[in-house]
Amino acid sequence: KNQVEQSPQSLIILEGKNCTLQCNYTVSPFSNLRWYKQDTGRGPVSLTIMTFSENTKSNGRYTATLDADTKQSSLHITASQLSDSASYICVVSAGYQKVTFGTGTKLQVIP
Amino acid sequence: DTAVSQTPKYLVTQMGNDKSIKCEQNLGHDTMYWYKQDSKKFLKIMFSYNNKELIINETVPNRFSPKSPDKAHLNLHINSLELGDSAVYFCASSRGRSGEQYFGPGTRLTVT
């Protein structure tokens, strides 16, 4: 069964600090992995997408890593800002027709 | 504005009613999706259309029927609404079946 598990479930950090969110998956066959940011009351917005051959991808202060051997990904946020407060969702695709969403990590950045 | 739009944003209705949610994208994408996000914030895909053809139909009650009049629109019709249908429904679109998905703002459906 295809599954995507994220940890921690929620996280509170001080503004300016770094943090790392984890994603473990059992999706097969692996096609790509995306990280989305979802602000409260809005739709998810894509941050990064990685295929099997990519092991790191950056988007500003967001850096995603992928270890296809251990089926793990992480999203590192550098120098957090209040606007980073949101849910972060890991999404893994198995070919064209199977997309599995993680349950998300809710991040709160406090001043 | 180039985007994925949904109407209505909020929908409150009684059990047993039939309702529709509309979705339009002007990004020129050929694939559109409907997702349901429950109270635990878990997103689950319901339907996917590519070039107006259904390519994904997850285990969804047949009370839910998607309609794609053209590549830019994918509407969701729900018959005989139940309390458990209360959720936020998101429409999304992408270029190709594995392209980046762009999400609409969501429709919060409340069934009383």
Side-chain angles (χ1 to χ4, degrees):
Chain A
K1 182 181 177 183
N2 290 335
Q3 286 188 312
V4 177
E5 296 182 350
Q6 293 186 240
S7 61
Q9 191 172 15
S10 62
L11 182 62
I12 300 175
I13 62 172
L14 290 174
E15 186 179 10
K17 297 296 185 184
N18 303 335
C19 67
T20 300
L21 314 181
Q22 300 290 344
C23 173
N24 296 336
Y25 63 92
T26 58
V27 174
S28 181
F30 178 84
S31 178
N32 59 61
L33 184 146
R34 294 187 176 93
W35 282 94
Y36 283 88
K37 177 187 179 188
Q38 185 176 18
D39 292 314
T40 300
R42 310 191 78 162
V45 174
S46 179
L47 294 175
T48 63
I49 177 171
M50 288 183 291
T51 58
F52 185 87
S53 59
E54 297 173 296
N55 56 21
T56 187
K57 184 75 72 79
S58 290
N59 178 359
R61 295 179 296 103
Y62 300 101
T63 299
T65 64
L66 173 65
D67 185 334
D69 292 331
T70 61
K71 298 187 177 181
Q72 296 180 326
S73 176
S74 65
L75 180 69
H76 186 75
I77 304 174
T78 305
S80 61
Q81 300 176 358
L82 296 178
S83 60
D84 292 331
S85 296
S87 290
Y88 292 83
I89 305 170
C90 176
V91 183
V92 184
S93 297
Y96 291 129
Q97 299 196 13
K98 195 66 181 178
V99 178
T100 305
F101 281 69
T103 51
T105 292
K106 187 168 184 177
L107 173 65
Q108 185 177 358
V109 180
I110 59 175
Chain B
D1 288 342
T2 55
V4 180
S5 59
Q6 296 178 228
T7 54
K9 188 168 175 61
Y10 299 97
L11 182 56
V12 181
T13 187
Q14 291 183 329
M15 283 175 54
N17 285 348
D18 303 338
K19 291 293 179 184
S20 291
I21 307 172
K22 295 185 177 181
C23 177
E24 177 182 3
Q25 55 91 7
N26 59 7
L27 298 164
H29 290 164
D30 57 0
T31 307
M32 296 186 72
Y33 313 81
W34 275 108
Y35 290 88
K36 179 181 180 181
Q37 188 170 44
D38 59 26
S39 58
K40 295 183 178 179
K41 307 298 183 186
F42 185 61
L43 264 169
K44 186 170 183 179
I45 192 167
M46 300 173 69
F47 301 101
S48 172
Y49 269 73
N50 176 256
N51 286 319
K52 293 176 56 182
E53 287 189 34
L54 181 66
I55 56 172
I56 295 177
N57 181 0
E58 294 293 313
T59 306
V60 175
N62 57 16
R63 298 182 293 105
F64 291 80
S65 53
K67 294 281 193 302
S68 183
D70 54 57
K71 286 197 298 184
H73 296 84
L74 182 62
N75 303 324
L76 183 65
H77 188 76
I78 315 170
N79 290 328
S80 303
L81 278 156
E82 300 178 355
L83 293 176
D85 297 332
S86 295
V88 181
Y89 292 84
F90 286 99
C91 176
S93 71
S94 66
R95 187 179 306 281
R97 300 179 188 182
S98 56
E100 177 182 346
Q101 294 183 25
Y102 291 76
F103 284 78
T107 294
R108 182 174 291 277
L109 171 65
T110 303
V111 182
T112 61

